[in-house]
Amino acid sequence: MKKILVANRGEIAIRVMKTAQKMGIKTVAVYSTADRNAPHVRFADEAVWIGESPSNQSYLLGSKIIEVAKELNVDAIHPGYGFLSENAEFAQEAERNGIIFIGPKAKAIEIMGSKLAAKDAVMKYNIPMVPGVDHAIIDIDEAKRTATTIGFPILIKASAGGGGKGMRVVEKENDFESQMNRAISEAVAAFGDGSVFIEKYVAFSRHIEIQIMADSHGNVLYLFERECSIQRRHQKVIEEAPSSVLSPETRKKMGEAAVLVAKSCDYLGAGTVEFLYDENDNFYFLEMNTRLQVEHPVTELISGVDLVEMQIRVARGEALAIKQEDLEIKGHAMELRVYAEDPMNDFLPSVGHLDVYQLPVGEGVRVDNGFEQGMDIPIYYDPMLSKLITYGKTREESIQLMLKAIDGYKIEGVQTTLPFGKFVFEHEAFRSGHFDTNFVKKYYNGDVLKNQKAKEAEIAALIALKQYFEDQKILRLPN
């Protein structure tokens, strides 16, 4: 493998290229009009324009990307995450053209891409699942009967996708019909498929995911868990590894269950198996993500492995160089996704110009970044600027490093999730480890930050006033 095309943009494109270059592999970037001056374009050995700014005219053009790969004699394509990373057709087309797809085979992507097919595949392994239906529903009357049988609160979920789209929690029967209609229309808009399914809503749950890696020689590893319970709109904002609530016994059980999920679809490469974990130490299979996750750095830091390097080695047919017993957890890592969003206004995207953009540095601080000062944030893509990751010997040390690093960011021109991150990392519920997926609903609203900002401004004004009077005294001193 001498040359890899990275079919992505931003921080993940640079992240993949760094490892490829470390392995002596040349890299090719692709870019849209909006990204023509982006850092990932300059970072690569070669770069090719693939279309206009909207992703359906550039980053989602699988055939165009494969055409570019063939023209430049590319050996493999790394899809990153998002865009074409879980597109079975794209994986298949790459293979048909003699290009290695750095990810699982199309069949595994297809099975795990449908939440219902995934549940069906793992059922024979006796892996616990949340009570619910085992088929897609579009008919509202049937859905209502099912919901009543399961018992409220229930969760409506789009069968064809994730990322919180087409997902609705319904607390009572009266709200069911309107929420069902909204879930279906969201699912159609996001995935072109309105089928949904219904399952019991586990109210006080944690969102725990297990990182797995599988080679083509029958070996599957689990690289421990990530805690992903701090979410807004069912999407993760903060992740950590390991979780503060899992016992070694539960960790082993969940890890072994994740390995069975991988085996159920003859998996290859890096993948993540997601579970719900309740207050009674029960866990339930949710879904499998057939790609590298946004939050993979926290796993890399506690396990001491480079997951992208493992992906590349496995894709070129190598057997995994480590065994399960070689892996151990060392230290604790935290990640904050730094989005250009306004946490004081319901996390709405905050597009604009990065007038100031300076990143924190220091021991135990890692920033996976895709932007630089002076750039505009395009409206066409996910608004994530960078990921702030900290690593310490203990959870407490990692939190303290995170708070210091948040203060080390200097961003002007757009609103970001940094103040929200600070709020979470300082909150007693988070620091004590006693929280669940309802953290934002329970403890946070935009007014909290507005009041905090007003207090900070008041204190700053008082300090400035005090300094003014001190300066006046000095000026009035006789010669």
Side-chain angles (χ1 to χ4, degrees):
M1 202 182 280
K2 292 176 181 168
K3 196 189 279 192
I4 289 174
L5 182 148
V6 183
N8 219 296
R9 63 183 294 280
E11 59 85 20
I12 186 57
I14 294 172
R15 161 73 194 92
V16 172
M17 288 171 193
K18 279 182 177 174
T19 287
Q21 289 181 3
K22 182 182 81 179
M23 295 172 76
I25 300 168
K26 296 280 185 195
T27 58
V28 177
V30 291
Y31 64 93
S32 68
T33 301
D35 281 339
R36 61 194 178 280
N37 298 316
H40 82 276
V41 175
R42 295 197 304 276
F43 195 89
D45 297 298
E46 297 173 79
V48 180
W49 177 82
I50 49 163
E52 291 305 327
S53 303
S55 52
N56 63 358
Q57 294 173 41
S58 50
Y59 296 107
L60 291 174
L61 297 178
S63 297
K64 177 80 182 275
I65 289 168
I66 286 165
E67 201 180 292
V68 168
K70 284 166 74 179
E71 278 171 18
L72 296 180
N73 296 316
V74 162
D75 302 301
I77 292 174
H78 194 302
Y81 40 70
F83 295 136
L84 296 165
S85 62
E86 293 177 284
N87 186 309
E89 219 173 282
F90 179 63
Q92 221 161 16
E93 197 181 337
E95 297 288 347
R96 271 200 306 269
N97 282 279
I99 298 164
I100 297 165
F101 180 77
I102 301 174
K105 299 298 174 193
K107 185 191 164 201
I109 298 174
E110 258 170 24
I111 292 169
M112 292 300 160
S114 159
K115 290 185 174 69
L116 290 171
K119 286 183 176 220
D120 199 40
V122 304
M123 216 174 269
K124 60 175 92 77
Y125 290 91
N126 294 322
I127 292 163
M129 279 184 266
V130 180
V133 293
D134 59 358
H135 63 281
I137 302 175
I138 303 175
D139 181 76
I140 289 188
D141 289 334
E142 183 198 347
K144 194 181 272 189
R145 284 195 300 274
T146 304
T148 310
T149 307
I150 295 170
F152 290 90
I154 57 103
L155 190 61
I156 303 169
K157 293 168 94 172
S159 176
K165 295 175 180 76
M167 191 183 283
R168 286 281 179 276
V169 176
V170 188
E171 306 277 356
K172 50 190 191 294
E173 194 173 338
N174 290 349
D175 300 334
F176 182 81
E177 205 161 313
S178 64
Q179 295 288 46
M180 178 80 177
N181 283 324
R182 285 177 73 183
I184 289 171
S185 96
E186 255 187 40
V188 169
F191 315 113
D193 178 352
S195 54
V196 298
F197 67 101
I198 293 167
E199 61 186 26
K200 182 75 181 164
Y201 178 59
V202 183
F204 302 105
S205 61
R206 311 274 285 229
H207 186 128
I208 308 277
E209 59 186 33
I210 307 285
Q211 174 71 56
I212 64 103
M213 184 69 72
D215 65 20
S216 53
H217 304 270
N219 305 304
V220 187
L221 295 175
Y222 67 89
L223 293 99
F224 313 114
E225 81 281 2
R226 294 184 287 257
E227 167 76 67
C228 306
S229 299
I230 307 293
Q231 306 177 357
R232 48 99 180 91
R233 297 193 297 273
H234 302 290
Q235 288 182 298
K236 307 160 194 171
V237 199
I238 288 167
E239 302 97 355
E240 65 178 299
S243 167
S244 60
V245 291
L246 290 197
S247 65
E249 296 74 31
T250 304
R251 176 175 293 121
K252 188 170 186 286
K253 276 185 203 165
M254 287 177 90
E256 286 169 353
V259 166
L260 290 175
V261 171
K263 287 184 172 174
S264 77
C265 62
D266 195 19
Y267 200 78
L268 177 71
T272 295
V273 182
E274 305 204 349
F275 295 96
L276 277 185
Y277 174 82
D278 71 16
E279 70 269 36
N280 300 315
D281 204 33
N282 300 311
F283 62 87
Y284 307 96
F285 170 72
L286 270 181
E287 62 181 320
M288 184 180 198
N289 291 300
T290 55
R291 55 175 165 78
L292 197 65
Q293 292 278 88
V294 174
E295 57 275 19
H296 75 273
V298 292
T299 296
E300 293 186 321
L301 289 169
I302 64 153
S303 62
V305 303
D306 180 331
L307 288 170
V308 175
E309 183 176 340
M310 286 176 104
Q311 278 188 300
I312 292 169
R313 291 190 181 284
V314 159
R316 62 189 189 192
E318 294 178 29
L320 288 166
I322 50 175
K323 293 185 165 51
Q324 192 63 53
E325 54 269 27
D326 300 330
L327 288 164
E328 59 175 311
I329 295 171
K330 287 181 183 166
H332 203 103
M334 297 273 166
E335 176 176 297
L336 169 64
R337 301 186 187 191
V338 184
Y339 285 104
E341 292 179 345
D342 187 354
M344 287 180 273
N345 189 15
D346 199 28
F347 295 96
L348 289 173
S350 173
V351 293
H353 185 75
L354 290 170
D355 302 324
V356 174
Y357 189 66
Q358 292 164 19
L359 306 176
V361 290
E363 197 179 338
V365 174
R366 166 177 164 177
V367 183
D368 284 14
N369 175 51
F371 281 82
E372 56 192 26
Q373 192 164 295
M375 282 180 70
D376 288 316
I377 296 159
I379 58 168
Y380 308 98
Y381 318 116
D382 181 90
M384 190 165 72
L385 301 173
S386 56
K387 299 180 315 205
L388 173 59
I389 309 111
T390 55
Y391 174 73
K393 291 187 191 74
T394 63
R395 187 171 188 267
E396 293 71 26
E397 188 184 333
S398 188
I399 291 172
Q400 287 311 115
L401 279 167
M402 180 59 80
L403 287 166
K404 192 180 173 194
I406 288 171
D407 288 340
Y409 259 98
K410 299 286 176 278
I411 302 179
E412 288 175 24
V414 297
Q415 299 298 320
T416 74
T417 46
L418 287 167
F420 169 75
K422 190 170 186 181
F423 168 83
V424 175
F425 290 114
E426 285 179 340
H427 200 283
E428 179 50 33
F430 182 82
R431 294 179 81 98
S432 66
H434 299 305
F435 61 91
D436 56 37
T437 52
N438 294 307
F439 179 92
V440 170
K441 192 177 170 185
K442 266 188 203 167
Y443 302 115
Y444 179 79
N445 64 58
D447 293 339
V448 174
L449 282 190
K450 282 176 193 166
N451 295 339
Q452 209 172 306
K453 218 171 180 185
K455 271 184 194 165
E456 284 169 7
E458 197 180 318
I459 291 164
L462 288 170
I463 291 168
L465 192 64
K466 187 180 178 221
Q467 190 60 49
Y468 171 78
F469 287 128
E470 293 292 327
D471 292 347
Q472 290 302 306
K473 275 184 203 169
I474 293 163
L475 286 169
R476 289 195 192 104
L477 285 174
N479 288 331

